[in-house]
């Protein structure tokens, strides 16, 4: 069966070679190993921010907008107009700064439509109650698989790539794809698939879908942890490099082999340090819980659940 969305994305990437490329500026948050990207059309200066970070100190419970303010300064310095605040999924390793950025820069906050599945799962985990909407209404827009949009004059397509979570999406903007946690640098591998709703088989199929894009497609990743024998952080690669050299899923690795590897590897991994605060904020679109009657906000800590 033809994958029409993937075919259109491939045509878009090949066509991008005939015009000025989309520009990307990356901001790396080392405490959470997260790469946030500002992607823009150099002709119109219209832009999007992908996977932003709100600084959070778990020991003190304090938040900070230091990293987000660096993005704001860059956007203002470059005279960019923010159309979109894009989330690839509900992150488990950092809090999103998208609502704060939206108050300063505007733009629509968006994520994949399957965020509702994640909201249902974690709404129960955190016992949020009926006051927590599980319909994605915390976001301005929910993207469907294959949905088209644009950054200025540069076309973009959303691809649903579940596996790490049910809601993961990749944004193909011009000749670049922003793939979230689905893939890491070739020398580091792939995302884990053991969170609630994760699925290693779905992850493999999503990765193979991404790897069907043209080899020259630039891939921008959400995380890097510096693979063994590499001393610098990296967050940009290509489809061709991943197909040739990804240590977990290069060409020739079959689905069963990948699932066995991913299942055994995931069983050895600790949970992300910030999973509990991150998820309960990010399923709300990056918004902190509402203040209680004493004016303070509180995050829940479920015991013996994970």
């Amino acid at each position: 069966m033809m994958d029409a969305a993937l075919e259109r994305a491939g045509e878009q990437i090949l066509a991008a070679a005939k015009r000025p490329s989309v520009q990307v500026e990356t901001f790396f948050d080392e405490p959470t190993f997260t790469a946030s990207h500002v992607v823009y059309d150099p002709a119109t200066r219209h832009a999007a921010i992908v996977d932003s970070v709100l600084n959070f100190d778990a020991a003190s419970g304090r938040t900070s907008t230091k990293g987000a303010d660096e993005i704001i300064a860059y956007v203002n310095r470059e005279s960019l107009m923010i159309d979109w605040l894009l989330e690839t999924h509900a992150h488990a390793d950092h809090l999103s700064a998208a609502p704060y950025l939206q108050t300063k820069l505007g733009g629509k906050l968006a994520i994949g439509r399957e965020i509702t599945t994640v909201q249902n799962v974690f709404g129960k985990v955190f016992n949020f109650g009926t006051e927590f909407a599980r319909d994605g209404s915390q976001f301005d827009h929910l993207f469907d698989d294959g949905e088209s949009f644009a950054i200025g004059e540069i076309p973009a397509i959303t691809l649903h790539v579940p596996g790490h979570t049910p809601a993961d999406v990749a944004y193909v903007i011009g000749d670049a794809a922003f793939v979230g946690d689905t893939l890491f640098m070739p020398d580091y591998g792939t995302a884990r698939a053991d969170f609630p709703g994760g699925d290693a088989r779905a992850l493999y199929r999503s990765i193979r879908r991404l790897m069907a894009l043209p080899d020259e497609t630039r891939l921008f990743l959400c995380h890097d942890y510096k693979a063994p024998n590499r001393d610098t952080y990296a967050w940009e690669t290509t489809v061709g490099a991943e197909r040739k050299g990804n240590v977990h899923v290069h060409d020739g690795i079959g689905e069963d082999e990948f699932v066995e590897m991913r299942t055994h590897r995931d069983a050895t991994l600790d949970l992300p340090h910030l999973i509990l605060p991150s998820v309960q904020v990010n399923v709300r679109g990056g918004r902190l819980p509402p203040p209680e009657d004493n004016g303070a906000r509180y995050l829940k800590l479920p015991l013996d659940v994970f």
Side-chain angles (χ1 to χ4, degrees):
M1 182 178 178
M2 181 182 298
D3 188 331
L6 187 66
E7 184 177 22
R8 286 192 291 115
E11 291 171 352
Q12 171 185 297
I13 290 163
L14 295 174
K18 302 175 183 178
R19 57 177 178 266
S21 178
V22 65
Q23 299 296 301
V24 181
E25 183 73 17
T26 298
F27 297 79
F28 191 73
D29 180 65
E30 189 166 354
T32 62
F33 307 100
T34 303
S36 303
H37 309 288
V38 178
V39 50
Y40 65 95
D41 175 3
T44 67
R45 314 305 286 177
H46 283 265
I49 300 170
V50 184
D51 290 336
S52 60
V53 176
L54 180 71
N55 305 108
F56 177 70
D57 179 68
S60 66
R62 291 188 178 276
T63 62
S64 164
T65 59
K66 179 178 181 293
D69 289 333
E70 292 176 1
I71 292 176
I72 292 169
Y74 174 80
V75 167
N76 290 334
R77 186 166 63 248
E78 297 296 322
S79 301
L80 302 179
M81 294 166 282
I82 300 301
D83 293 337
W84 294 98
L85 301 153
L86 301 174
E87 298 289 329
T88 55
H89 62 294
H91 305 275
D93 38 37
H94 69 270
L95 282 64
S96 172
Y100 172 73
L101 291 168
Q102 190 175 43
T103 65
K104 301 295 184 180
L105 299 172
K108 293 182 179 180
L109 173 56
I111 200 167
R113 185 169 298 281
E114 288 302 315
I115 186 62
T116 57
T117 300
V118 177
Q119 288 177 327
N120 273 305
V121 170
F122 285 100
K124 295 174 183 176
V125 168
F126 292 106
N127 196 30
F128 282 156
T130 56
E131 67 276 10
F132 171 63
R134 294 161 168 82
D135 58 1
S137 57
Q138 299 86 349
F139 299 84
D140 299 313
H141 187 79
L142 302 181
F143 280 110
D144 291 312
D145 180 44
E147 184 173 345
S148 296
F149 63 109
I151 305 298
E153 296 175 352
I154 296 179
I157 294 174
T158 306
L159 299 177
H160 183 214
V161 286
H164 176 57
T165 80
D168 283 64
V169 292
Y171 300 104
V172 183
I173 302 172
D175 65 342
F178 299 82
V179 300
D181 290 12
T182 300
L183 281 166
F184 298 136
M185 292 298 290
D187 59 359
Y188 200 86
T190 60
R192 64 195 297 168
D194 60 330
F195 295 155
D199 185 310
R201 290 194 181 278
L203 178 62
Y204 178 85
R205 294 167 189 173
S206 292
I207 290 170
R208 297 316 305 180
R209 189 183 194 202
L210 290 172
M211 287 186 174
L213 292 169
D215 280 355
E216 57 266 41
T217 307
R218 295 185 291 158
L219 298 182
F220 289 90
L221 317 177
C222 187
H223 294 288
D224 187 57
Y225 305 95
K226 290 197 291 193
N229 303 316
R230 176 159 55 85
D231 295 327
T232 57
Y233 292 109
W235 45 76
E236 181 179 355
T237 182
T238 65
V239 166
E242 295 281 12
R243 290 184 60 185
K244 181 179 179 180
N246 187 288
V247 294
H248 292 166
V249 70
H250 58 77
D251 283 355
I253 299 291
E255 182 173 322
D256 288 342
E257 182 181 358
F258 174 81
V259 170
E260 182 178 9
M261 177 282 300
R262 192 70 263 172
T263 301
H264 287 301
R265 181 174 173 81
D266 289 350
T268 71
L269 300 177
D270 293 331
L271 287 175
H273 177 55
L274 295 181
I275 185 172
L276 295 178
S278 294
V279 171
Q280 59 187 300
V281 168
N282 293 336
V283 294
R284 291 185 168 99
R287 294 172 182 84
L288 299 174
E292 297 194 7
D293 55 12
N294 64 352
R297 302 174 187 269
Y298 294 88
L299 293 169
K300 290 186 173 183
L301 183 66
L303 300 179
D304 302 320
V305 172
F306 290 98

